[in-house]
Amino acid sequence: MAGPTLEELIKEFGIEPASTQTSGPRAKLLAQADRMLTELDKYKGEDELDGDTTRFWWAPQSVYGKRRVSARYGGKVVEGLTTTTDNTLASVRSTIETLRKLIEKSTDDTWAAEEERRKKK
């Protein structure tokens, strides 16, 4: 009798395959955007956006009813992809979805300047 396939086990245990080190910036950004959207699915209110670290694309605190959202990968913010939005789950989600669409439309060549900037630091 055959056991479950690896794919079935991965799905059963909710394992999300990580993007590999050799994947390009576009793939890394898409994986991160998807991870942010999955995290937001768990939240019920904007108070859950608050935190102590910047491990998510949204800032750990709101300022005057606004929340900063920054696309990041490899632990660094992507230059030029930081914006502010209303401090609501819907607004933060919408902003991340918009950033994801921008990333989806790009190619790895789009991110060449960002990759070069990261190498210089």
Side-chain angles (χ1 to χ4, degrees), residues 67-93:
R67 178 111 20 196
R68 189 182 77 245
V69 177
S70 304
R72 60 177 76 229
Y73 72 94
K76 297 178 185 174
V77 172
V78 176
E79 191 171 86
L81 279 186
T82 298
T83 187
T84 57
T85 190
D86 292 332
N87 185 39
T88 65
L89 277 178
S91 291
V92 171
R93 171 175 277 291

PDB file of all heavy atoms in Angstrom, residues 67-93:
ATOM      1  N   ARG A  67       0.083  54.317   8.495  1.00  0.00           N
ATOM      2  CA  ARG A  67       1.023  53.218   8.703  1.00  0.00           C
ATOM      3  C   ARG A  67       1.954  53.155   7.504  1.00  0.00           C
ATOM      4  O   ARG A  67       1.526  53.165   6.368  1.00  0.00           O
ATOM      5  CB  ARG A  67       0.253  51.910   8.846  1.00  0.00           C
ATOM      6  CG  ARG A  67       1.121  50.719   9.020  1.00  0.00           C
ATOM      7  CD  ARG A  67       1.152  50.011  10.304  1.00  0.00           C
ATOM      8  NE  ARG A  67       0.116  50.116  11.280  1.00  0.00           N
ATOM      9  CZ  ARG A  67       0.291  49.730  12.545  1.00  0.00           C
ATOM     10  NH1 ARG A  67       1.443  49.224  12.923  1.00  0.00           N
ATOM     11  NH2 ARG A  67      -0.669  49.834  13.413  1.00  0.00           N
ATOM     12  N   ARG A  68       3.256  53.095   7.756  1.00  0.00           N
ATOM     13  CA  ARG A  68       4.257  52.972   6.682  1.00  0.00           C
ATOM     14  C   ARG A  68       4.293  51.519   6.215  1.00  0.00           C
ATOM     15  O   ARG A  68       4.245  50.590   7.008  1.00  0.00           O
ATOM     16  CB  ARG A  68       5.630  53.402   7.189  1.00  0.00           C
ATOM     17  CG  ARG A  68       6.680  53.515   6.085  1.00  0.00           C
ATOM     18  CD  ARG A  68       8.038  53.905   6.626  1.00  0.00           C
ATOM     19  NE  ARG A  68       8.667  52.743   7.238  1.00  0.00           N
ATOM     20  CZ  ARG A  68       8.960  52.625   8.531  1.00  0.00           C
ATOM     21  NH1 ARG A  68       8.706  53.612   9.361  1.00  0.00           N
ATOM     22  NH2 ARG A  68       9.504  51.527   9.003  1.00  0.00           N
ATOM     23  N   VAL A  69       4.355  51.334   4.901  1.00  0.00           N
ATOM     24  CA  VAL A  69       4.478  50.005   4.305  1.00  0.00           C
ATOM     25  C   VAL A  69       5.699  50.047   3.391  1.00  0.00           C
ATOM     26  O   VAL A  69       5.800  50.918   2.528  1.00  0.00           O
ATOM     27  CB  VAL A  69       3.208  49.619   3.506  1.00  0.00           C
ATOM     28  CG1 VAL A  69       3.385  48.269   2.840  1.00  0.00           C
ATOM     29  CG2 VAL A  69       1.979  49.621   4.408  1.00  0.00           C
ATOM     30  N   SER A  70       6.621  49.096   3.604  1.00  0.00           N
ATOM     31  CA  SER A  70       7.871  49.046   2.833  1.00  0.00           C
ATOM     32  C   SER A  70       8.094  47.639   2.309  1.00  0.00           C
ATOM     33  O   SER A  70       8.117  46.691   3.083  1.00  0.00           O
ATOM     34  CB  SER A  70       9.068  49.415   3.714  1.00  0.00           C
ATOM     35  OG  SER A  70       8.895  50.671   4.321  1.00  0.00           O
ATOM     36  N   ALA A  71       8.285  47.522   0.996  1.00  0.00           N
ATOM     37  CA  ALA A  71       8.637  46.225   0.420  1.00  0.00           C
ATOM     38  C   ALA A  71      10.062  45.915   0.827  1.00  0.00           C
ATOM     39  O   ALA A  71      10.928  46.784   0.801  1.00  0.00           O
ATOM     40  CB  ALA A  71       8.501  46.260  -1.093  1.00  0.00           C
ATOM     41  N   ARG A  72      10.295  44.664   1.214  1.00  0.00           N
ATOM     42  CA  ARG A  72      11.637  44.281   1.622  1.00  0.00           C
ATOM     43  C   ARG A  72      11.908  42.830   1.289  1.00  0.00           C
ATOM     44  O   ARG A  72      10.994  42.019   1.210  1.00  0.00           O
ATOM     45  CB  ARG A  72      11.876  44.554   3.100  1.00  0.00           C
ATOM     46  CG  ARG A  72      10.959  43.818   4.025  1.00  0.00           C
ATOM     47  CD  ARG A  72      11.263  44.053   5.506  1.00  0.00           C
ATOM     48  NE  ARG A  72      10.816  45.345   5.941  1.00  0.00           N
ATOM     49  CZ  ARG A  72      11.548  46.217   6.629  1.00  0.00           C
ATOM     50  NH1 ARG A  72      12.766  45.931   6.986  1.00  0.00           N
ATOM     51  NH2 ARG A  72      11.061  47.374   6.979  1.00  0.00           N
ATOM     52  N   TYR A  73      13.164  42.535   1.069  1.00  0.00           N
ATOM     53  CA  TYR A  73      13.628  41.153   0.933  1.00  0.00           C
ATOM     54  C   TYR A  73      15.067  41.112   1.390  1.00  0.00           C
ATOM     55  O   TYR A  73      15.764  42.129   1.376  1.00  0.00           O
ATOM     56  CB  TYR A  73      13.462  40.608  -0.498  1.00  0.00           C
ATOM     57  CG  TYR A  73      14.413  41.157  -1.535  1.00  0.00           C
ATOM     58  CD1 TYR A  73      15.594  40.498  -1.849  1.00  0.00           C
ATOM     59  CD2 TYR A  73      14.126  42.332  -2.219  1.00  0.00           C
ATOM     60  CE1 TYR A  73      16.468  40.998  -2.806  1.00  0.00           C
ATOM     61  CE2 TYR A  73      14.991  42.841  -3.166  1.00  0.00           C
ATOM     62  CZ  TYR A  73      16.157  42.164  -3.458  1.00  0.00           C
ATOM     63  OH  TYR A  73      17.019  42.663  -4.406  1.00  0.00           O
ATOM     64  N   GLY A  74      15.493  39.958   1.833  1.00  0.00           N
ATOM     65  CA  GLY A  74      16.850  39.826   2.352  1.00  0.00           C
ATOM     66  C   GLY A  74      17.083  40.721   3.550  1.00  0.00           C
ATOM     67  O   GLY A  74      18.210  41.132   3.808  1.00  0.00           O
ATOM     68  N   GLY A  75      16.019  41.050   4.286  1.00  0.00           N
ATOM     69  CA  GLY A  75      16.146  41.877   5.474  1.00  0.00           C
ATOM     70  C   GLY A  75      16.348  43.354   5.207  1.00  0.00           C
ATOM     71  O   GLY A  75      16.587  44.123   6.127  1.00  0.00           O
ATOM     72  N   LYS A  76      16.248  43.769   3.943  1.00  0.00           N
ATOM     73  CA  LYS A  76      16.473  45.178   3.599  1.00  0.00           C
ATOM     74  C   LYS A  76      15.281  45.746   2.840  1.00  0.00           C
ATOM     75  O   LYS A  76      14.656  45.058   2.031  1.00  0.00           O
ATOM     76  CB  LYS A  76      17.724  45.328   2.728  1.00  0.00           C
ATOM     77  CG  LYS A  76      18.995  44.904   3.408  1.00  0.00           C
ATOM     78  CD  LYS A  76      20.171  45.044   2.464  1.00  0.00           C
ATOM     79  CE  LYS A  76      21.437  44.513   3.091  1.00  0.00           C
ATOM     80  NZ  LYS A  76      22.549  44.518   2.155  1.00  0.00           N
ATOM     81  N   VAL A  77      15.011  47.023   3.080  1.00  0.00           N
ATOM     82  CA  VAL A  77      13.943  47.724   2.378  1.00  0.00           C
ATOM     83  C   VAL A  77      14.382  47.990   0.943  1.00  0.00           C
ATOM     84  O   VAL A  77      15.533  48.343   0.686  1.00  0.00           O
ATOM     85  CB  VAL A  77      13.611  49.057   3.092  1.00  0.00           C
ATOM     86  CG1 VAL A  77      12.644  49.899   2.274  1.00  0.00           C
ATOM     87  CG2 VAL A  77      13.047  48.786   4.479  1.00  0.00           C
ATOM     88  N   VAL A  78      13.464  47.829   0.008  1.00  0.00           N
ATOM     89  CA  VAL A  78      13.734  48.134  -1.393  1.00  0.00           C
ATOM     90  C   VAL A  78      13.610  49.648  -1.572  1.00  0.00           C
ATOM     91  O   VAL A  78      12.569  50.226  -1.258  1.00  0.00           O
ATOM     92  CB  VAL A  78      12.745  47.405  -2.332  1.00  0.00           C
ATOM     93  CG1 VAL A  78      12.974  47.816  -3.779  1.00  0.00           C
ATOM     94  CG2 VAL A  78      12.877  45.903  -2.171  1.00  0.00           C
ATOM     95  N   GLU A  79      14.669  50.254  -2.041  1.00  0.00           N
ATOM     96  CA  GLU A  79      14.675  51.700  -2.217  1.00  0.00           C
ATOM     97  C   GLU A  79      13.548  52.128  -3.156  1.00  0.00           C
ATOM     98  O   GLU A  79      13.383  51.557  -4.246  1.00  0.00           O
ATOM     99  CB  GLU A  79      16.022  52.149  -2.780  1.00  0.00           C
ATOM    100  CG  GLU A  79      16.218  53.652  -2.747  1.00  0.00           C
ATOM    101  CD  GLU A  79      17.643  54.029  -3.101  1.00  0.00           C
ATOM    102  OE1 GLU A  79      17.926  54.169  -4.302  1.00  0.00           O
ATOM    103  OE2 GLU A  79      18.462  54.154  -2.182  1.00  0.00           O
ATOM    104  N   GLY A  80      12.756  53.094  -2.717  1.00  0.00           N
ATOM    105  CA  GLY A  80      11.669  53.623  -3.542  1.00  0.00           C
ATOM    106  C   GLY A  80      10.340  52.904  -3.377  1.00  0.00           C
ATOM    107  O   GLY A  80       9.327  53.365  -3.882  1.00  0.00           O
ATOM    108  N   LEU A  81      10.315  51.774  -2.664  1.00  0.00           N
ATOM    109  CA  LEU A  81       9.054  51.050  -2.475  1.00  0.00           C
ATOM    110  C   LEU A  81       8.572  51.151  -1.027  1.00  0.00           C
ATOM    111  O   LEU A  81       8.253  50.174  -0.376  1.00  0.00           O
ATOM    112  CB  LEU A  81       9.191  49.581  -2.878  1.00  0.00           C
ATOM    113  CG  LEU A  81       9.096  49.285  -4.359  1.00  0.00           C
ATOM    114  CD1 LEU A  81       9.098  47.773  -4.618  1.00  0.00           C
ATOM    115  CD2 LEU A  81       7.849  49.888  -4.981  1.00  0.00           C
ATOM    116  N   THR A  82       8.532  52.391  -0.532  1.00  0.00           N
ATOM    117  CA  THR A  82       7.986  52.690   0.786  1.00  0.00           C
ATOM    118  C   THR A  82       6.901  53.728   0.603  1.00  0.00           C
ATOM    119  O   THR A  82       7.080  54.706  -0.121  1.00  0.00           O
ATOM    120  CB  THR A  82       9.081  53.230   1.731  1.00  0.00           C
ATOM    121  OG1 THR A  82      10.072  52.217   1.889  1.00  0.00           O
ATOM    122  CG2 THR A  82       8.518  53.594   3.084  1.00  0.00           C
ATOM    123  N   THR A  83       5.765  53.499   1.253  1.00  0.00           N
ATOM    124  CA  THR A  83       4.646  54.413   1.151  1.00  0.00           C
ATOM    125  C   THR A  83       3.908  54.433   2.485  1.00  0.00           C
ATOM    126  O   THR A  83       4.221  53.658   3.381  1.00  0.00           O
ATOM    127  CB  THR A  83       3.699  54.005  -0.007  1.00  0.00           C
ATOM    128  OG1 THR A  83       2.713  55.006  -0.191  1.00  0.00           O
ATOM    129  CG2 THR A  83       3.057  52.655   0.241  1.00  0.00           C
ATOM    130  N   THR A  84       2.958  55.332   2.633  1.00  0.00           N
ATOM    131  CA  THR A  84       2.113  55.340   3.817  1.00  0.00           C
ATOM    132  C   THR A  84       0.676  55.090   3.390  1.00  0.00           C
ATOM    133  O   THR A  84       0.283  55.410   2.265  1.00  0.00           O
ATOM    134  CB  THR A  84       2.198  56.670   4.592  1.00  0.00           C
ATOM    135  OG1 THR A  84       1.854  57.739   3.725  1.00  0.00           O
ATOM    136  CG2 THR A  84       3.582  56.892   5.154  1.00  0.00           C
ATOM    137  N   THR A  85      -0.082  54.523   4.314  1.00  0.00           N
ATOM    138  CA  THR A  85      -1.476  54.213   4.050  1.00  0.00           C
ATOM    139  C   THR A  85      -2.264  54.404   5.340  1.00  0.00           C
ATOM    140  O   THR A  85      -1.667  54.572   6.406  1.00  0.00           O
ATOM    141  CB  THR A  85      -1.622  52.779   3.495  1.00  0.00           C
ATOM    142  OG1 THR A  85      -2.948  52.584   3.031  1.00  0.00           O
ATOM    143  CG2 THR A  85      -1.270  51.734   4.531  1.00  0.00           C
ATOM    144  N   ASP A  86      -3.576  54.394   5.253  1.00  0.00           N
ATOM    145  CA  ASP A  86      -4.391  54.480   6.453  1.00  0.00           C
ATOM    146  C   ASP A  86      -4.112  53.292   7.356  1.00  0.00           C
ATOM    147  O   ASP A  86      -3.803  52.193   6.887  1.00  0.00           O
ATOM    148  CB  ASP A  86      -5.882  54.519   6.101  1.00  0.00           C
ATOM    149  CG  ASP A  86      -6.274  55.807   5.396  1.00  0.00           C
ATOM    150  OD1 ASP A  86      -5.614  56.846   5.625  1.00  0.00           O
ATOM    151  OD2 ASP A  86      -7.245  55.783   4.622  1.00  0.00           O
ATOM    152  N   ASN A  87      -4.259  53.493   8.646  1.00  0.00           N
ATOM    153  CA  ASN A  87      -3.989  52.440   9.612  1.00  0.00           C
ATOM    154  C   ASN A  87      -5.212  51.522   9.773  1.00  0.00           C
ATOM    155  O   ASN A  87      -5.813  51.446  10.828  1.00  0.00           O
ATOM    156  CB  ASN A  87      -3.582  53.033  10.965  1.00  0.00           C
ATOM    157  CG  ASN A  87      -3.170  51.967  11.945  1.00  0.00           C
ATOM    158  OD1 ASN A  87      -2.521  51.004  11.571  1.00  0.00           O
ATOM    159  ND2 ASN A  87      -3.548  52.128  13.198  1.00  0.00           N
ATOM    160  N   THR A  88      -5.570  50.842   8.682  1.00  0.00           N
ATOM    161  CA  THR A  88      -6.637  49.847   8.733  1.00  0.00           C
ATOM    162  C   THR A  88      -6.123  48.578   8.061  1.00  0.00           C
ATOM    163  O   THR A  88      -5.241  48.647   7.199  1.00  0.00           O
ATOM    164  CB  THR A  88      -7.909  50.316   8.000  1.00  0.00           C
ATOM    165  OG1 THR A  88      -7.620  50.450   6.606  1.00  0.00           O
ATOM    166  CG2 THR A  88      -8.435  51.640   8.554  1.00  0.00           C
ATOM    167  N   LEU A  89      -6.670  47.450   8.456  1.00  0.00           N
ATOM    168  CA  LEU A  89      -6.277  46.201   7.804  1.00  0.00           C
ATOM    169  C   LEU A  89      -6.530  46.264   6.310  1.00  0.00           C
ATOM    170  O   LEU A  89      -5.695  45.835   5.513  1.00  0.00           O
ATOM    171  CB  LEU A  89      -7.063  45.020   8.396  1.00  0.00           C
ATOM    172  CG  LEU A  89      -6.548  44.420   9.684  1.00  0.00           C
ATOM    173  CD1 LEU A  89      -7.463  43.293  10.147  1.00  0.00           C
ATOM    174  CD2 LEU A  89      -5.143  43.916   9.531  1.00  0.00           C
ATOM    175  N   ALA A  90      -7.681  46.812   5.920  1.00  0.00           N
ATOM    176  CA  ALA A  90      -8.036  46.885   4.504  1.00  0.00           C
ATOM    177  C   ALA A  90      -7.028  47.725   3.722  1.00  0.00           C
ATOM    178  O   ALA A  90      -6.624  47.353   2.615  1.00  0.00           O
ATOM    179  CB  ALA A  90      -9.450  47.437   4.335  1.00  0.00           C
ATOM    180  N   SER A  91      -6.611  48.854   4.283  1.00  0.00           N
ATOM    181  CA  SER A  91      -5.661  49.733   3.589  1.00  0.00           C
ATOM    182  C   SER A  91      -4.275  49.102   3.487  1.00  0.00           C
ATOM    183  O   SER A  91      -3.629  49.177   2.444  1.00  0.00           O
ATOM    184  CB  SER A  91      -5.558  51.083   4.298  1.00  0.00           C
ATOM    185  OG  SER A  91      -6.755  51.802   4.153  1.00  0.00           O
ATOM    186  N   VAL A  92      -3.817  48.487   4.564  1.00  0.00           N
ATOM    187  CA  VAL A  92      -2.504  47.838   4.541  1.00  0.00           C
ATOM    188  C   VAL A  92      -2.530  46.690   3.534  1.00  0.00           C
ATOM    189  O   VAL A  92      -1.619  46.538   2.720  1.00  0.00           O
ATOM    190  CB  VAL A  92      -2.091  47.362   5.952  1.00  0.00           C
ATOM    191  CG1 VAL A  92      -0.848  46.492   5.904  1.00  0.00           C
ATOM    192  CG2 VAL A  92      -1.862  48.557   6.869  1.00  0.00           C
ATOM    193  N   ARG A  93      -3.592  45.884   3.557  1.00  0.00           N
ATOM    194  CA  ARG A  93      -3.728  44.772   2.605  1.00  0.00           C
ATOM    195  C   ARG A  93      -3.743  45.298   1.173  1.00  0.00           C
ATOM    196  O   ARG A  93      -3.039  44.780   0.308  1.00  0.00           O
ATOM    197  CB  ARG A  93      -5.014  43.978   2.873  1.00  0.00           C
ATOM    198  CG  ARG A  93      -5.297  42.963   1.769  1.00  0.00           C
ATOM    199  CD  ARG A  93      -6.479  42.090   2.083  1.00  0.00           C
ATOM    200  NE  ARG A  93      -6.132  40.978   2.929  1.00  0.00           N
ATOM    201  CZ  ARG A  93      -5.385  39.946   2.556  1.00  0.00           C
ATOM    202  NH1 ARG A  93      -4.871  39.897   1.344  1.00  0.00           N
ATOM    203  NH2 ARG A  93      -5.111  38.967   3.372  1.00  0.00           N
TER     204      ARG A  93
END
